[in-house]
Amino acid sequence: MATYSRLPGSVALITLQNPPVNALSAAVRQGIVDTVQRALKDPKVTSVVICGQNGKFCGGADIREFAGPMLGPPLVPMIHAIEAVDKPVAAAIEGVALGGGLELALGCHYRIAHSKALLGLPEVTLGLLPGAGGSQRLPRLIGLTAALDLITTGRQHDSSFFSSLHLLCVCSQSISSVCVSGQSLDSRRLSTLPCPCPPDVDSLLDKTMVKVRQRSRGALAPVACVQALMAAASLPYTQGMEKERDLLTTLFNSGQARALQYAFFSQRVVGKWSLPSGASWDNSAARTISKAAVIGLGTMGRGIVVALALTGISVVAVETQEKQLAEASQVVPAMLQREAGRRSLATPPGVISFSSNLQDVCEVELVIEAVFEDMSLKLQVFRHLTSVCRPGTLLCSNTSGLDIDRLAAVTQSPGLVVGMHFFAPAHVMKLLEVVYGPRSSPEAVATAMQLGKRMGKVSVAVGNCPGFVGNRMLKPYLEQANFLLEEGATPQQVDEVLEEFGFPMGVFRMSDLSGLDVGWRIRKEAGLTGPGVESTRTRQGRRYSPLPDQVCEAGRLGQKTGRGWYQYDGPGGRVARSDHWVNIFLEAYRAEHGLVARSIAPEEILERCLYALINEGFNILQDAMAAGPEDIDAIYVFGYGWPRHHGGPMFHAGQVGLGRILERLQHHHHNHPDVPHLKPSTLLRRLVAVGSPPVQKWREFINKERVHSQL
Ligand SMILES: CCCCCCCCCCCCC/C=C/C(=O)SCCNC(=O)CCNC(=O)[C@H](O)C(C)(C)COP(=O)(O)OP(=O)(O)OC[C@H]1O[C@@H](n2cnc3c(N)ncnc32)[C@H](O)[C@@H]1OP(=O)(O)O
């Protein structure tokens, strides 16, 4: 709703009230319409100020309403009516003015803002465009070039940025002086102004369109934003508004907008974590950490040190190998400086001390172990930590898939052990899997989750199983990719299909980047390859592809060696080029195993890779290793490059149709009965049996099924 009050004198104050961000719900829009009318009718009122309750102007249209029928006064005519009134209206912006909130402010005649307020048009991130006149008014105010950047990226900036673009009134022009000035409002109605364009406007628009298409990897909204701005640059306002409405309608009805809005909410749902034990975000107290230690200063450890230091935590960075320590103590401060600069932090607030002695962690409140991914080494470190740390210190492991409970078992306080699985580079990547073992205490989980939040991560609580959630699902995906090579595909074909779907990198380019030896080592530890293991295509009772092992045995470990599934300019090279060696190698391999290459359609490549991964997602939900589909989807969007406009693997399954996923998995499993990952999960079958409920209902369904022991 919106409240109305008369300030002493002649100013009417309208306050938007819809906690927590004063989103423009139907009730708020109705409130604005009513209170503006009231101000117009009151002869004593000569000017109007619109503000938001609790120091927040407005977070935009109410995204929750997008899922249902639109009720209440529509936004576009409401804003237009405000612009048309003959008493000056000012938007007084505190906190945020985002999306429809900023569009409302653009319909006002004046805008003033608190220096710390954040403004922007993030609609593109929700699969939409600023469809309440923003795509037409903003360029008329700040010029086409600046508007293109803001609207196609959805970037948010503070008031000083927007002051420099003349979006905000100069601060000295206080609202009361505006109101009594008696200035004509004609020049303040943005819809009546021409759109300032650079002389080479066509070339600017063409170049922007090319750049946006490249960057958006199949997302529709950024392209529609450019189209709307083309209209602003070339058409009168009313025709521009028609174009804006048409584009918005197309986007609104697209699956992408639904996916992106779902992704917005899943990011928030995962913060409200709960464990099977009943512990949850609202009943578990977190400790505030001010001193931490990181053990092991390889790539991961270095990134973790920087991530911690950036939050102002003092860090003891420990590395027992002298050479590695010397290198890290040079590299880490430079990384910190760079990252602080990128985030516009004046000086890095954290304090880092380097040490080669594990004893030096004795005063810290939390330790993150980031040594080599080797269970015996990690056990040794945990035994040592539990003897040197103060009682009550939280001990965390950055393992990417090893058993947290085994680590906990060698400590004096197993309840204080959790996994904190970062993604490389750890100071940049947004995802953190917080892994709870059967003995992890709610306090330990809450502390790790809160620490992740402080580091700006999307933290997701996951159960303790091999590979946790992300890597557990990656396994069947990688496996299918290898099988497809055996059957006739090339790495480029597989990668092209996945990149066309929207992944920034196909599976083979990604493996080359991460290093092929990572998986090789894991397979050796699992007894799947290595000396003494017979070189067959069936291992441990299931189909196995020795292809990636053989590529490693040839010394091709990916980008770092300049050769992997592709060739690069040299060790550390980034540009992947197809390699004749790989084609010859694949042919020889197929000949050796009596395999006849067949032509494989892109649909089969996509189905087998994605549906195997999705199927494992259902198994994970069934095993209660993730609390809901949103957790899995957030993990894949923030940690594995899953295209956000497809929502996440579980959301995508719902969009494709659960019945269809089940039918295709059955088909592929029938053709490959020796691949257990293709066998449809019980949960998927159960969901289809009850009519394929929408993804938002799965959590409730799973909990009910679990109570009735159907899963
Ligand atoms: C069929 C054809 C029809 C065509 C025509 C239809 C016309 C329909 C009108 C269309 C109008 C289009 C033009 C306008 C579009 C928009 O405005 S879209 C929304 C744009 N705004 C945003 O994207 C902002 C989103 N919010 C944020 O970025 C952040 O929430 C924040 C405002 C910066 C605050 O951050 P923080 O303090 O960290 O809090 P959060 O945890 O993020 O949020 C707190 C809770 O508030 C909920 N929330 C936030 N914003 C909104 C919102 N806009 N609508 C609804 N709810 C919102 C958020 O989910 C949190 O909720 P809980 O998790 O339940 O606590």
Side-chain angles (χ1 to χ4, degrees), residues 193-473:
L193 305 182
C195 174
C197 295
D200 56 346
V201 57
D202 289 342
S203 144
L204 169 73
L205 286 166
D206 289 349
K207 279 190 194 144
T208 307
M209 187 58 105
V210 170
K211 197 169 79 187
V212 161
R213 276 192 202 281
Q214 257 170 11
R215 202 174 52 200
S216 55
R217 300 201 307 263
L220 301 171
V223 174
C225 287
V226 181
Q227 288 168 333
L229 284 153
M230 281 175 170
S234 57
L235 298 174
Y237 173 77
T238 42
Q239 286 177 38
M241 284 301 288
E242 279 167 26
K243 182 75 182 169
E244 183 191 90
R245 194 197 53 223
D246 290 350
L247 289 165
L248 181 67
T249 307
T250 307
L251 293 177
F252 228 86
N253 293 324
S254 73
Q256 290 196 3
R258 278 190 289 278
L260 285 157
Q261 287 152 29
Y262 165 85
F264 172 85
F265 288 115
S266 23
Q267 185 176 343
R268 282 147 185 89
V269 165
V270 298
K272 298 181 176 164
W273 56 273
S274 60
L275 310 186
S277 64
S280 65
W281 65 282
D282 55 353
N283 65 16
S284 311
R287 289 192 209 162
T288 304
I289 302 298
S290 57
K291 267 188 196 168
V294 176
I295 315 292
L297 298 179
T299 312
M300 288 310 294
R302 291 174 193 187
I304 298 170
V305 171
V306 173
L308 288 167
L310 282 165
T311 65
I313 291 175
S314 67
V315 190
V316 182
V318 181
E319 171 59 65
T320 50
Q321 290 185 25
E322 289 297 337
K323 188 164 167 263
Q324 181 103 301
L325 179 66
E327 196 182 289
S329 49
Q330 296 292 311
V331 172
V332 170
M335 281 166 68
L336 179 61
Q337 200 81 40
R338 244 192 337 269
E339 193 57 23
R342 206 174 65 84
R343 298 186 193 185
S344 308
L345 297 172
T347 44
V351 181
I352 305 172
S353 61
F354 291 91
S355 168
S356 60
N357 190 352
L358 258 183
Q359 205 70 33
D360 288 343
V361 307
C362 59
E363 291 300 317
V364 304
E365 297 146 326
L366 176 143
V367 183
I368 302 177
E369 162 280 307
V371 301
F372 207 62
E373 191 72 350
D374 176 319
M375 186 46 112
S376 50
L377 178 61
K378 286 185 190 280
L379 285 170
Q380 204 180 316
V381 171
F382 270 73
R383 277 191 200 102
H384 204 113
L385 286 173
T386 200
S387 67
V388 299
C389 291
R390 282 191 310 202
T393 306
L394 262 81
L395 301 182
C396 312
S397 172
N398 176 49
T399 172
S400 59
L402 298 177
D403 186 351
I404 293 299
D405 199 33
R406 276 188 69 193
L407 297 176
V410 300
T411 68
Q412 283 156 19
S413 308
L416 295 179
V417 175
V418 287
M420 287 184 82
H421 177 207
F422 290 82
F423 291 73
H427 56 302
V428 177
M429 288 290 284
K430 289 277 282 180
L431 179 65
L432 176 70
E433 280 185 325
V434 171
V435 190
Y436 57 89
R439 288 183 275 183
S440 305
S441 65
E443 185 191 30
V445 176
T447 304
M449 290 293 284
Q450 197 205 54
L451 183 57
K453 195 170 176 189
R454 271 175 75 190
M455 288 189 273
K457 310 278 178 212
V458 174
S459 310
V460 187
V462 298
N464 181 34
C465 57
F468 312 135
V469 169
N471 286 344
R472 176 168 160 185
M473 288 169 71

Side-chain angles (χ1 to χ4, degrees), residues 91-132:
I93 301 169
E94 281 184 299
V96 287
L98 298 174
L102 181 54
E103 293 178 279
L104 169 63
L106 289 170
C108 297
H109 308 114
Y110 298 92
R111 288 154 293 280
I112 56 169
H114 188 278
S115 59
K116 295 219 168 99
L118 267 187
L119 290 80
L121 293 174
E123 285 92 336
V124 70
T125 63
L126 297 167
L128 302 175
L129 55 78

